[in-house]
Amino acid sequence: MVKLHKYLLLVFLCLVNIPAALAANEKVVYHIHQTQADTLKRAINNIENLKKGMPGKPMDIRLLMQGNSIQLLNPSLQDKNLMARLLKLQDSGIHIEVSEKNYRHNRLQIESSLKPLLVENFFGRLIELQNQGYRYLTP
Amino acid sequence: MAKNTQQTDKQLSDELLNSFIDHQVAPDERREILDLIKKDKNLSNRVCDLQHIKEMTKLAYEHIPASRLPETVILKKRIVPRIAAVIAIFSLGLLLGLAVTQLNDYSESIASFNADDSITKVLVHLTSSDIDSGLNTLNNLQLLLEEYESNQQAVRVEVIANGKGIQLLDVGNNLISQRIKQLTNDYHNLTIAACKYSIEQLQISNGVKVDLIPQVRVIDSGVVEVIKRQNEGWTYIRG
């Protein structure tokens, strides 16, 4: 009877640990809706700290920039170092998503190396991601 | 044993004689008993009988067969079957865990698919007095409401303003008030609320008196409402 309990405990541990380990993708939607000068810096700091705080953990981070906040992606308005950090985040797998309408209005001013995904319905996209289990963060 | 050479056969116990036979008596005692055996025929016969019994007993128990316990009691150490059982149970647990993970992913996709059938509830939280930002939020709200209407999906949107966001809802902001009037007319599933404490705070701290748009209802506490809605499962968006 004692041995049966040990086997059951082993099965229980497998059941608990395997799904937790397999479902380890941390999903975050980071929403920028402000256009203050330090907004992008705060956002980049937050995202870098998020990755630093969970080393080795696979993450799916989406940076959604609403409305005029897309102007923050203008390199002439930002520190070179900050844009470099943003590009590094993009290269590491962070997805930048912007409203299609706002992108068309600001396309020429946006850093050319950035490849944002265009979203037709911005709030709809935010809802969709949260429904998919993405945690919602703002600066 | 008392050193009494007068001891006779009747006084020597079987126990003593067995000790003698087993060479378990002291040398002096042994010599005495040997002398007595020489003199006493009965004693001699008794010693022979006891010696005989001892030999017969020894012979009878010389080859003791191994005990045969029932098979259910015998604990045979079978390591290989135990290891096989552990691997089988572990594999079963792994398969079950994988199945649970896939079931979770499946149910998530089902939930998002079934979202079409249930009402979507969205809370938009206004905390900034920036007019451009406010207008952009209202534009995005309109897009959202239009899409849900065209897809014939149910959605309920509540806008809650607190802090500096209250200032957006002043009748003096023509652009904002016009948009709100138009949206609340077109969409009855859109409501807008303002935090009473923030209104009072603005007046007391900043000397700003906010004259609210008529379409806005006043609630006691904006943050309490935000928390309440999130607890009720509303999707939260900062505007």
Side-chain angles (χ1 to χ4, degrees):
Chain A
M1 200 60 183
V2 174
K3 285 178 187 172
L4 180 62
H5 287 165
K6 281 183 188 172
Y7 290 144
L8 286 173
L9 180 64
L10 192 60
V11 170
F12 174 74
L13 287 172
C14 292
L15 285 172
V16 167
N17 291 320
I18 299 296
L22 288 175
N25 216 21
E26 193 67 42
K27 299 188 282 190
V28 174
V29 53
Y30 198 98
H31 177 203
I32 293 182
H33 61 284
Q34 299 167 335
T35 52
Q36 290 160 5
D38 66 339
T39 299
L40 186 62
K41 186 179 177 184
R42 281 188 285 138
I44 290 172
N45 284 343
N46 284 166
I47 294 171
E48 285 174 348
N49 289 341
L50 187 63
K51 288 167 72 75
K52 214 188 295 181
M54 297 188 186
K57 191 162 178 98
M59 301 184 107
D60 181 357
I61 300 175
R62 307 216 169 227
L63 178 60
L64 264 71
M65 302 184 73
Q66 177 186 341
N68 289 340
S69 66
I70 196 174
Q71 291 169 5
L72 295 169
L73 300 178
N74 187 336
S76 64
L77 299 176
Q78 298 291 352
D79 182 52
K80 276 184 187 174
N81 186 37
L82 197 66
M83 292 312 291
R85 283 166 69 191
L86 182 61
L87 286 167
K88 193 176 171 187
L89 284 175
Q90 184 181 250
D91 291 340
S92 74
I94 307 296
H95 303 278
I96 300 172
E97 298 185 21
V98 301
S99 156
E100 188 178 354
K101 193 174 164 185
N102 287 108
Y103 178 73
R104 287 210 195 98
H105 287 153
N106 295 282
R107 188 176 47 186
L108 296 174
Q109 287 78 38
I110 290 172
E111 166 63 49
S112 55
S113 308
L114 291 170
K115 305 276 184 281
L117 297 172
L118 303 182
V119 174
E120 203 178 311
N121 188 327
F122 193 84
F123 275 14
R125 180 63 176 155
L126 279 172
I127 293 165
E128 181 190 20
L129 288 172
Q130 287 188 68
N131 283 343
Q132 287 173 5
Y134 282 74
R135 300 299 181 205
Y136 180 76
L137 288 176
T138 63
Chain B
M1 183 178 155
K3 290 187 179 178
N4 184 357
T5 54
Q6 299 297 319
Q7 280 191 324
T8 62
D9 163 54
K10 286 179 186 169
Q11 290 171 339
L12 293 174
S13 65
D14 283 352
E15 187 187 348
L16 181 60
L17 291 176
N18 276 318
S19 297
F20 165 79
I21 290 165
D22 292 337
H23 299 272
Q24 297 293 322
V25 295
D28 288 345
E29 266 186 277
R30 190 172 176 80
R31 215 175 292 117
E32 279 180 35
I33 294 170
L34 279 169
D35 286 340
L36 285 170
I37 288 170
K38 233 191 232 178
K39 292 171 188 173
D40 190 336
K41 194 172 180 185
N42 285 337
L43 181 61
S44 173
N45 288 339
R46 269 182 73 199
V47 170
C48 279
D49 286 343
L50 288 169
Q51 179 77 31
H52 180 72
I53 290 168
K54 180 186 169 179
E55 293 298 325
M56 289 297 289
T57 306
K58 189 178 169 184
L59 200 69
Y61 288 98
E62 198 169 29
H63 300 287
I64 300 172
S67 64
R68 292 186 182 186
L69 298 169
E71 281 184 11
T72 53
V73 179
I74 294 173
L75 297 174
K76 293 182 184 178
K77 292 189 179 180
R78 294 177 182 166
I79 297 173
V80 172
R82 282 186 178 187
I83 292 173
V86 167
I87 291 170
I89 297 250
F90 190 84
S91 303
L92 176 67
L94 189 66
L95 285 170
L96 281 170
L98 282 168
V100 166
T101 308
Q102 285 177 6
L103 193 65
N104 281 341
D105 291 341
Y106 180 66
S107 60
E108 267 180 26
S109 62
I110 286 285
S112 61
F113 179 77
N114 283 338
D116 295 341
D117 299 332
S118 61
I119 186 165
T120 300
K121 293 175 280 188
V122 183
L123 167 70
V124 179
H125 189 192
L126 291 179
T127 58
S128 165
S129 58
D130 183 63
I131 291 178
D132 282 340
S133 178
L135 279 173
N136 188 262
T137 295
L138 292 173
N139 288 340
N140 280 307
L141 270 179
Q142 183 167 2
L143 278 172
L144 180 75
L145 291 162
E146 280 173 0
E147 184 173 305
Y148 271 78
E149 193 179 61
S150 69
N151 293 341
Q152 293 180 332
Q153 294 166 3
V155 67
R156 196 174 143 199
V157 179
E158 184 167 79
V159 177
I160 294 176
N162 73 336
K164 289 184 181 175
I166 296 285
Q167 291 176 273
L168 278 180
L169 305 179
D170 190 285
V171 290
N173 285 323
N174 286 332
L175 285 172
I176 300 275
S177 58
Q178 295 281 345
R179 288 303 309 278
I180 287 175
K181 187 181 172 184
Q182 175 228 324
L183 283 171
T184 50
N185 262 347
D186 295 344
Y187 300 99
H188 298 293
N189 48 351
L190 169 67
T191 54
I192 303 182
C195 171
K196 188 176 86 174
Y197 297 143
S198 294
I199 294 169
E200 289 166 359
Q201 198 91 26
L202 269 173
Q203 186 153 8
I204 294 166
S205 309
N206 300 27
V208 174
K209 190 175 184 306
V210 176
D211 191 8
L212 287 176
I213 299 165
Q215 290 81 13
V216 176
R217 70 184 177 100
V218 177
I219 55 174
D220 284 341
S221 169
V223 287
V224 168
E225 190 74 7
V226 164
I227 291 165
K228 181 183 152 198
R229 292 300 190 202
Q230 287 188 81
N231 286 341
E232 289 169 359
W234 287 57
T235 302
Y236 175 79
I237 296 175
R238 281 280 290 275

